[in-house]
Amino acid sequence: MDGTAKKVLVIDDTKLVRKIITYVLNSSGIETIEAENGLEGLQILEENFLNIRAITVDVEMPIMDGIEFIKNVKAKKKYENLPIIIVTSLSEKEDMQKGLELGVYDYIIKPVDRTLVFLKVRNAMRYYENTIEIEKLNKDITRKNFELEALVEIRTKELENMTNSLIVALENANLYNDENTGKHIKRVAMFSELIAKELGLSKEFVARIKMYAPIHDIGKVGIPDEILKKPGRYTPEEFEIMKEHVVIGYNMIKESSLPETAKNIVRYHHEKWSGTGYRIGLKGEDIPVEARIVSIADVFDALSTKRIYKEKFSIEETLRIMAEGRGEQFDPKIFDIFLKNIDKIIELKNRYADDE
């Protein structure tokens, strides 16, 4: 373990037996430490633990017998793998059984056979050395795993920072070209996060929806100003051009490293539950859930907020209009969750209200 001498602790109150065992082991190049009883053995073990590779212990001894010694050793975690060999006679089968039940490595029958003493102690020492090596390997693996996890965390953070920078750039591009405010973008993200949580989606998925909801209309940067900022209603031809913003937005990011969550929000947030939305015409659950969530959040904020082309609707009127779209424009399950949490959503809307 630390380069110190490897020793065997020999515990026996009979000096002759003790000397026979130590002689056999010493003759084979194995160093020993002797103790006359279990209590002395515990003291020596505590002082020399890093050196000791195995223990032989007699059962019948004064002050502290072998069984009590074994119980004390096995009670301490740092000693749990240290191999103990009981030295006993055939008449002490009950003690032998107790020792085995307590987890001793092996036993030696008196009168001791020198060859068996050497072989059993050698095998016990090898077992313990292997155990030590396995523990070292496990610690190395654990350490390397921690290092790898730390590296992955650093790389993930770097990627998140890069992604956030891209999102901010896309948001800013959208703000420069649209009448929507940054607070609208913030509100849509917050509404979407709340709905996604209440829907029971995973923590990671909820975080992605919140992160990428703000770029749902990024494709509007490709819509001419005379249409995008028109104060009145669109003509049918103008509305067809406006619909292209989902295609433009998707084309802007489809080759990027942004996840599918972002691409789905941009591409599908104007799809409708009935299949009558644009531009793909997806229906029902074929529409990615993240797009279904952002659709509700976006429409709620758009209707209840003043725009260049309209006055804002009251919350009551907004909810009445949206309720007509339940099961037609909006996923009915998600819409019901939205309604169930409308007080929280209104609180968020007030918290992030536009400056008048």
Side-chain angles (χ1 to χ4, degrees), residues 15 21 51 61 100 108 121 139 144 225 303 319 326:
K15 186 175 182 179
I21 294 174
N51 303 57
M61 293 183 295
L100 291 171
I108 295 171
V121 171
K139 287 179 181 178
K144 289 177 180 178
D225 280 358
L303 290 176
L319 295 179
R326 181 187 182 277

Side-chain angles (χ1 to χ4, degrees), residues 55-111:
I55 301 171
T56 68
V57 60
D58 187 23
V59 174
E60 297 293 333
M61 293 183 295
I63 304 178
M64 180 185 287
D65 64 23
I67 298 299
E68 194 63 29
F69 169 83
I70 294 167
K71 288 179 180 178
N72 276 274
V73 171
K74 293 299 179 181
K76 292 190 177 183
K77 185 171 179 60
K78 69 176 181 177
Y79 299 150
E80 63 181 353
N81 293 318
L82 189 60
I84 301 174
I85 299 173
I86 288 181
V87 180
T88 185
S89 65
L90 286 173
S91 62
E92 296 171 334
K93 286 184 179 180
E94 185 177 338
D95 289 332
M96 191 187 307
Q97 181 178 337
K98 285 181 182 177
L100 291 171
E101 288 173 351
L102 291 171
V104 300
Y105 178 79
D106 206 343
Y107 58 88
I108 295 171
I109 301 297
K110 295 178 182 177

Side-chain angles (χ1 to χ4, degrees), residues 76-342:
K76 292 190 177 183
K77 185 171 179 60
K78 69 176 181 177
Y79 299 150
E80 63 181 353
N81 293 318
L82 189 60
I84 301 174
I85 299 173
I86 288 181
V87 180
T88 185
S89 65
L90 286 173
S91 62
E92 296 171 334
K93 286 184 179 180
E94 185 177 338
D95 289 332
M96 191 187 307
Q97 181 178 337
K98 285 181 182 177
L100 291 171
E101 288 173 351
L102 291 171
V104 300
Y105 178 79
D106 206 343
Y107 58 88
I108 295 171
I109 301 297
K110 295 178 182 177
V112 296
D113 180 283
R114 298 186 179 194
T115 302
L116 283 178
V117 167
F118 167 69
L119 291 175
K120 292 198 173 192
V121 171
R122 183 200 65 181
N123 291 346
M125 294 178 73
R126 286 179 177 176
Y127 157 80
Y128 193 46
E129 290 289 341
N130 289 336
T131 300
I132 292 170
E133 287 302 314
I134 290 172
E135 287 181 348
K136 287 171 65 177
L137 284 172
N138 285 337
K139 287 179 181 178
D140 286 343
I141 290 171
T142 300
R143 176 181 54 79
K144 289 177 180 178
N145 282 341
F146 279 136
E147 292 174 354
L148 183 59
E149 288 174 4
L151 182 60
V152 169
E153 186 174 346
I154 291 171
R155 294 290 182 265
T156 301
K157 193 65 179 178
E158 290 175 349
L159 180 59
E160 286 180 355
N161 289 338
M162 292 172 62
T163 301
N164 287 334
S165 297
L166 176 59
I167 294 301
V168 169
L170 291 174
E171 289 176 9
N172 289 336
N174 198 26
L175 290 175
Y176 277 120
N177 201 54
D178 195 358
E179 83 286 352
N180 289 346
T181 68
K183 289 185 178 179
H184 163 75
I185 289 174
K186 178 74 172 178
R187 289 193 297 267
V188 170
M190 300 300 287
F191 300 162
S192 298
E193 178 189 32
L194 190 152
I195 295 168
K197 281 182 179 177
E198 294 297 326
L199 193 58
L201 301 179
S202 71
K203 184 178 179 181
E204 294 76 13
F205 196 20
V206 171
R208 288 200 299 273
I209 291 173
K210 180 183 179 183
M211 176 177 288
Y212 301 116
I215 64 169
H216 61 282
D217 276 339
I218 183 59
K220 286 184 178 180
V221 298
I223 302 301
D225 280 358
E226 59 268 25
I227 294 176
L228 185 64
K229 299 178 180 180
K230 180 180 178 180
R233 295 178 64 86
Y234 296 138
T235 65
E237 294 77 14
E238 289 170 338
F239 187 51
E240 287 302 315
I241 294 173
M242 183 56 127
K243 288 180 181 180
E244 289 300 309
H245 80 274
V246 296
V247 177
I248 294 168
Y250 176 68
N251 287 336
M252 287 173 63
I253 65 173
K254 68 179 181 180
E255 300 299 331
S256 74
S257 60
L258 291 176
E260 287 302 307
T261 307
K263 297 171 185 177
N264 289 341
I265 287 172
V266 171
R267 193 179 194 188
Y268 301 121
H269 70 282
H270 280 295
E271 300 295 332
K272 293 184 179 181
W273 184 255
S274 63
T276 59
Y278 63 86
R279 268 309 200 180
I280 310 300
L282 295 184
K283 182 178 181 180
E285 293 188 356
D286 288 341
I287 307 167
V289 65
E290 55 267 40
R292 285 179 266 150
I293 290 170
V294 171
S295 172
I296 292 174
D298 185 36
V299 170
F300 172 75
D301 197 65
L303 290 176
S304 59
T305 303
K306 182 178 180 180
R307 290 288 179 261
I308 191 172
Y309 53 86
K310 74 169 187 66
E311 293 297 321
K312 70 177 181 179
F313 291 105
S314 68
I315 297 296
E316 293 75 15
E317 183 66 7
T318 295
L319 295 179
R320 186 194 65 75
I321 294 170
M322 291 183 69
E324 294 177 356
R326 181 187 182 277
E328 194 283 324
Q329 182 172 356
F330 308 118
D331 179 331
K333 178 181 177 181
I334 298 177
F335 185 77
D336 289 346
I337 289 174
F338 159 75
L339 280 184
K340 183 179 178 182
N341 292 275
I342 191 62

